[in-house]
Amino acid sequence: MAADAPGTVPVQLVEQPRLLKLKESFIAKFGSAPKFYVRAPGRVNLIGEHIDYCGYAVLPMAIEQDILIAVEPVKTEVVQLANINSSYLDFTTTVNNIQINKTKPQWHNYFLCGLKGIQEHFGLNNPTGMNCLLDGTIPPSSGLSSSSALVCCAGLVTLKANGKTLSKVELAEICTKSERYIGTEGGGMDQSISFLAEEGTAKLIEFSPLRATDVRLPSGAAFVIANSCVEMNKAATSHYNIRVMECRLATKLLSKSKSLDWKKMLRLQDVQASLGVSLEEMLTIVEEVLHPEPYSTEEICKCLGISLEELRSQILSQNTQNGRALLTLCCTYKNRLSCVCTQQRFHGKLQSSERVVLCPISPLHEGVQNSQREKKVWIKS
């Protein structure tokens, strides 16, 4: 068994009404009983908004809301997916023909991401077919990572059904990569906290290598997470990936200006580490190298010495390749660096038990779209 593998807990269904109801629904759907159940929680990020894909540490914690899947491995090559919520349609496919439609981020595609990630990691030639019934309590498209929880749950389902083992860290890294099959260029926070979370503590998640440190919360602390009920599916639009690509392009421009190997550089933290400078010094470099006015794709190509086709095929994500968008590289980068500084100060306040009132809003969605993200208030009485 892999070190630090996800735990397995025997349960009495009569003591677990939700599991018992899921089992009954499974039997009604498939005519047989599930063999095991897999759970992955959602998350809320306390501080460090949109800096994980820049390589910087974040401070999330898991929430009680989760994705729960009842599973029965079968001897065929068919995967049948069903959902307790009837608004999500059934889906059937074969395990050797995984097709993920990036243009239509439907619920089953997230399951297929986790399935494909484990399948490819182990090079499974004859993976096990499965009947799966899902029950989710995370509000969809609300900024609480319902999609990543589903990817993680699917990865763990596939792992268990095929008799394989991995550590939690390995699972988190695989599921981070496999969620990109749907087109979202995430940084890994959501998948990491889903696997590495522990009751009663937040986690300082750091990358390269992935590691998690307990951040004990002061006694008497209460977290209030308010859902605006306005949905924002980040895989359905290019809003999220545009910000990721802005940071990636700025990384390459900064790298080239400092005679680094810009073609290999993807994240702001990589540039900072290569230069051996502080965050404050990095801010100065950003202001010196990048102009505050938006960049056109033509200007970026000229600065990097590449063609527009090379920019689109080698750097940009699929849903950011079209058009000639003006990219606010300097402002976006400075925003991310400011978020890193704020996250570090907040972490210090938590450790010292100082009073904090926090109500951050993701910098990703500006203007009216700010109302589409969850709001968080941390109150210490």
Side-chain angles (χ1 to χ4, degrees):
M1 184 173 182
D4 194 29
T8 300
V9 181
V11 295
Q12 295 293 328
L13 292 189
V14 292
E15 300 174 1
Q16 300 286 338
R18 185 180 173 205
L19 284 177
L20 185 58
K21 181 179 179 181
L22 186 60
K23 178 183 178 180
E24 292 171 349
S25 298
F26 189 101
I27 294 172
K29 181 71 178 179
F30 297 111
S32 54
K35 296 298 186 291
F36 62 90
Y37 304 84
V38 171
R39 174 185 179 269
R43 67 98 185 100
V44 65
N45 189 25
L46 302 183
I47 197 69
E49 301 295 328
H50 292 271
I51 58 175
D52 57 336
Y53 55 72
C54 292
Y56 288 106
V58 287
L59 189 60
M61 68 178 183
I63 57 177
E64 293 179 352
Q65 288 74 17
D66 60 18
I67 299 294
L68 180 65
I69 303 180
V71 187
E72 178 192 22
V74 296
K75 295 181 179 180
T76 68
E77 296 182 347
V78 175
V79 173
Q80 295 189 82
L81 303 177
N83 200 306
I84 287 289
N85 187 336
S86 60
S87 63
Y88 298 108
L89 301 179
D90 293 358
F91 180 79
T92 301
T93 189
T94 60
V95 289
N96 290 315
N97 185 34
I98 303 301
Q99 301 293 326
I100 299 172
N101 189 343
K102 292 183 179 181
T103 64
K104 294 181 179 180
Q106 297 173 315
W107 77 276
H108 62 262
N109 283 319
Y110 292 97
F111 186 99
L112 296 181
C113 285
L115 169 62
K116 184 176 180 180
I118 296 299
Q119 194 173 322
E120 292 188 345
H121 177 79
F122 287 101
L124 299 175
N125 294 320
N126 296 295
T128 302
M130 298 175 283
N131 294 331
C132 300
L133 180 61
L134 182 146
D135 179 28
T137 58
I138 308 170
S141 304
S142 63
L144 297 174
S145 294
S146 59
S147 57
S148 294
L150 177 49
V151 173
C152 292
C153 212
L156 194 50
V157 163
T158 307
L159 191 76
K160 174 72 174 176
N162 286 276
K164 303 295 184 180
T165 57
L166 289 169
S167 71
K168 295 177 184 178
V169 167
E170 290 171 319
L171 274 164
E173 291 177 329
I174 290 170
C175 289
T176 295
K177 294 177 183 176
S178 63
E179 189 166 339
R180 294 173 188 152
Y181 293 136
I182 200 76
T184 305
E185 297 286 331
M189 173 182 67
D190 302 345
Q191 299 83 2
S192 298
I193 192 62
S194 191
F195 282 114
L196 302 176
E198 295 181 55
E199 186 176 358
T201 179
K203 291 283 187 177
L204 179 67
I205 304 289
E206 300 173 274
F207 303 95
S208 300
L210 175 61
R211 56 206 184 277
T213 305
D214 288 355
V215 178
R216 294 292 173 183
L217 306 173
S219 60
F223 289 85
V224 179
I225 305 169
N227 183 3
S228 68
C229 298
V230 178
E231 296 186 359
M232 181 64 180
N233 187 330
K234 63 186 179 184
T237 72
S238 62
H239 296 311
Y240 182 91
N241 279 356
I242 284 174
R243 294 294 179 257
V244 179
M245 293 304 112
E246 284 179 329
C247 290
R248 185 175 298 176
L249 289 168
T251 294
K252 294 185 178 298
L253 292 179
L254 288 168
S255 299
K256 188 167 186 180
S257 74
K258 297 299 179 181
S259 300
L260 301 175
D261 188 353
W262 65 269
K263 292 185 177 180
K264 294 183 178 180
M265 292 288 183
L266 296 175
R267 307 178 306 171
L268 173 59
Q269 198 277 335
D270 297 333
V271 180
Q272 183 187 347
S274 296
L275 296 177
V277 298
S278 66
L279 282 172
E280 291 73 17
E281 291 170 323
M282 197 67 197
L283 274 169
T284 301
I285 292 172
V286 169
E287 292 175 342
E288 289 175 350
V289 176
L290 303 177
H291 58 66
E293 299 79 22
Y295 284 73
S296 66
T297 51
E298 289 82 2
E299 182 180 3
I300 292 169
C301 289
K302 183 178 179 180
C303 291
L304 294 178
I306 59 176
S307 67
L308 184 59
E309 178 57 34
E310 288 173 317
L311 174 68
R312 289 172 173 167
S313 62
Q314 298 176 17
I315 300 176
L316 299 180
S317 65
Q318 182 175 319
N319 65 349
T320 61
Q321 291 177 3
N322 297 323
R324 298 174 181 270
L326 297 176
L327 304 174
T328 55
L329 306 187
C330 183
C331 293
T332 300
Y333 239 35
K334 288 173 67 178
N335 179 286
R336 297 301 177 269
L337 287 169
S338 297
C339 285
V340 176
C341 294
T342 303
Q343 187 269 354
Q344 292 180 353
R345 288 196 297 270
F346 179 70
H347 182 213
K349 286 181 177 291
L350 274 182
Q351 300 291 60
S352 63
S353 298
E354 291 184 34
R355 178 180 175 85
V356 179
V357 176
L358 173 67
C359 192
I361 299 175
S362 167
L364 165 63
H365 305 286
E366 280 122 13
V368 67
Q369 289 180 338
N370 270 336
S371 66
Q372 296 177 327
R373 304 298 287 177
E374 84 282 0
K375 279 70 174 177
K376 308 179 286 286
V377 181
W378 184 72
I379 304 170
K380 180 174 182 287
S381 56

PDB file of all heavy atoms in Angstrom, residues 143 189 191 213 228 235 240 318 334 363:
ATOM      1  N   GLY A 143     -17.820  28.533  -6.685  1.00  0.00           N
ATOM      2  CA  GLY A 143     -16.510  28.860  -6.159  1.00  0.00           C
ATOM      3  C   GLY A 143     -16.068  27.977  -5.013  1.00  0.00           C
ATOM      4  O   GLY A 143     -15.123  28.302  -4.305  1.00  0.00           O
ATOM      5  N   MET A 189      -4.510  23.931  -6.224  1.00  0.00           N
ATOM      6  CA  MET A 189      -5.004  24.114  -4.861  1.00  0.00           C
ATOM      7  C   MET A 189      -6.217  23.238  -4.564  1.00  0.00           C
ATOM      8  O   MET A 189      -6.272  22.567  -3.521  1.00  0.00           O
ATOM      9  CB  MET A 189      -5.383  25.573  -4.612  1.00  0.00           C
ATOM     10  CG  MET A 189      -6.070  25.803  -3.272  1.00  0.00           C
ATOM     11  SD  MET A 189      -6.590  27.489  -2.979  1.00  0.00           S
ATOM     12  CE  MET A 189      -7.875  27.678  -4.222  1.00  0.00           C
ATOM     13  N   GLN A 191      -7.507  20.457  -5.869  1.00  0.00           N
ATOM     14  CA  GLN A 191      -7.293  19.009  -5.768  1.00  0.00           C
ATOM     15  C   GLN A 191      -6.442  18.672  -4.542  1.00  0.00           C
ATOM     16  O   GLN A 191      -6.675  17.658  -3.875  1.00  0.00           O
ATOM     17  CB  GLN A 191      -6.613  18.493  -7.039  1.00  0.00           C
ATOM     18  CG  GLN A 191      -7.402  18.715  -8.309  1.00  0.00           C
ATOM     19  CD  GLN A 191      -7.223  20.120  -8.892  1.00  0.00           C
ATOM     20  OE1 GLN A 191      -6.471  20.949  -8.366  1.00  0.00           O
ATOM     21  NE2 GLN A 191      -7.902  20.393  -9.998  1.00  0.00           N
ATOM     22  N   THR A 213       0.985  21.988   5.171  1.00  0.00           N
ATOM     23  CA  THR A 213       1.311  22.224   6.574  1.00  0.00           C
ATOM     24  C   THR A 213       0.054  22.643   7.316  1.00  0.00           C
ATOM     25  O   THR A 213      -0.696  23.506   6.847  1.00  0.00           O
ATOM     26  CB  THR A 213       2.379  23.331   6.705  1.00  0.00           C
ATOM     27  OG1 THR A 213       3.521  22.988   5.911  1.00  0.00           O
ATOM     28  CG2 THR A 213       2.798  23.504   8.162  1.00  0.00           C
ATOM     29  N   SER A 228     -23.907  33.397  -3.200  1.00  0.00           N
ATOM     30  CA  SER A 228     -24.761  34.384  -3.868  1.00  0.00           C
ATOM     31  C   SER A 228     -25.811  33.728  -4.762  1.00  0.00           C
ATOM     32  O   SER A 228     -26.722  34.394  -5.241  1.00  0.00           O
ATOM     33  CB  SER A 228     -23.903  35.329  -4.716  1.00  0.00           C
ATOM     34  OG  SER A 228     -23.343  34.621  -5.808  1.00  0.00           O
ATOM     35  N   ALA A 235     -15.031  26.522 -16.545  1.00  0.00           N
ATOM     36  CA  ALA A 235     -14.655  25.759 -17.738  1.00  0.00           C
ATOM     37  C   ALA A 235     -15.512  26.135 -18.939  1.00  0.00           C
ATOM     38  O   ALA A 235     -15.156  25.845 -20.079  1.00  0.00           O
ATOM     39  CB  ALA A 235     -14.767  24.263 -17.473  1.00  0.00           C
ATOM     40  N   TYR A 240     -11.405  32.524 -16.750  1.00  0.00           N
ATOM     41  CA  TYR A 240     -10.366  31.990 -15.864  1.00  0.00           C
ATOM     42  C   TYR A 240      -9.057  31.804 -16.624  1.00  0.00           C
ATOM     43  O   TYR A 240      -7.990  32.267 -16.183  1.00  0.00           O
ATOM     44  CB  TYR A 240     -10.838  30.666 -15.271  1.00  0.00           C
ATOM     45  CG  TYR A 240      -9.862  30.037 -14.298  1.00  0.00           C
ATOM     46  CD1 TYR A 240      -9.939  30.309 -12.944  1.00  0.00           C
ATOM     47  CD2 TYR A 240      -8.873  29.157 -14.741  1.00  0.00           C
ATOM     48  CE1 TYR A 240      -9.046  29.734 -12.045  1.00  0.00           C
ATOM     49  CE2 TYR A 240      -7.982  28.583 -13.858  1.00  0.00           C
ATOM     50  CZ  TYR A 240      -8.070  28.864 -12.511  1.00  0.00           C
ATOM     51  OH  TYR A 240      -7.169  28.291 -11.639  1.00  0.00           O
ATOM     52  N   GLN A 318      -6.547  26.366 -25.369  1.00  0.00           N
ATOM     53  CA  GLN A 318      -7.433  26.261 -26.531  1.00  0.00           C
ATOM     54  C   GLN A 318      -8.480  27.366 -26.576  1.00  0.00           C
ATOM     55  O   GLN A 318      -8.758  27.926 -27.625  1.00  0.00           O
ATOM     56  CB  GLN A 318      -8.122  24.890 -26.522  1.00  0.00           C
ATOM     57  CG  GLN A 318      -9.023  24.659 -27.724  1.00  0.00           C
ATOM     58  CD  GLN A 318      -9.595  23.249 -27.754  1.00  0.00           C
ATOM     59  OE1 GLN A 318      -8.898  22.282 -27.470  1.00  0.00           O
ATOM     60  NE2 GLN A 318     -10.866  23.121 -28.075  1.00  0.00           N
ATOM     61  N   LYS A 334       0.991  42.269 -11.038  1.00  0.00           N
ATOM     62  CA  LYS A 334       1.103  43.021  -9.787  1.00  0.00           C
ATOM     63  C   LYS A 334       0.011  42.593  -8.814  1.00  0.00           C
ATOM     64  O   LYS A 334       0.230  42.502  -7.605  1.00  0.00           O
ATOM     65  CB  LYS A 334       1.033  44.519 -10.068  1.00  0.00           C
ATOM     66  CG  LYS A 334       2.281  45.081 -10.730  1.00  0.00           C
ATOM     67  CD  LYS A 334       2.106  46.527 -11.139  1.00  0.00           C
ATOM     68  CE  LYS A 334       1.976  47.439  -9.948  1.00  0.00           C
ATOM     69  NZ  LYS A 334       1.862  48.866 -10.354  1.00  0.00           N
ATOM     70  N   PRO A 363      -9.981  38.303  -7.563  1.00  0.00           N
ATOM     71  CA  PRO A 363      -9.633  39.321  -8.551  1.00  0.00           C
ATOM     72  C   PRO A 363      -9.906  38.881  -9.981  1.00  0.00           C
ATOM     73  O   PRO A 363      -9.825  39.670 -10.899  1.00  0.00           O
ATOM     74  CB  PRO A 363      -8.124  39.509  -8.328  1.00  0.00           C
ATOM     75  CG  PRO A 363      -7.671  38.215  -7.755  1.00  0.00           C
ATOM     76  CD  PRO A 363      -8.809  37.720  -6.914  1.00  0.00           C
TER      77      PRO A 363
END
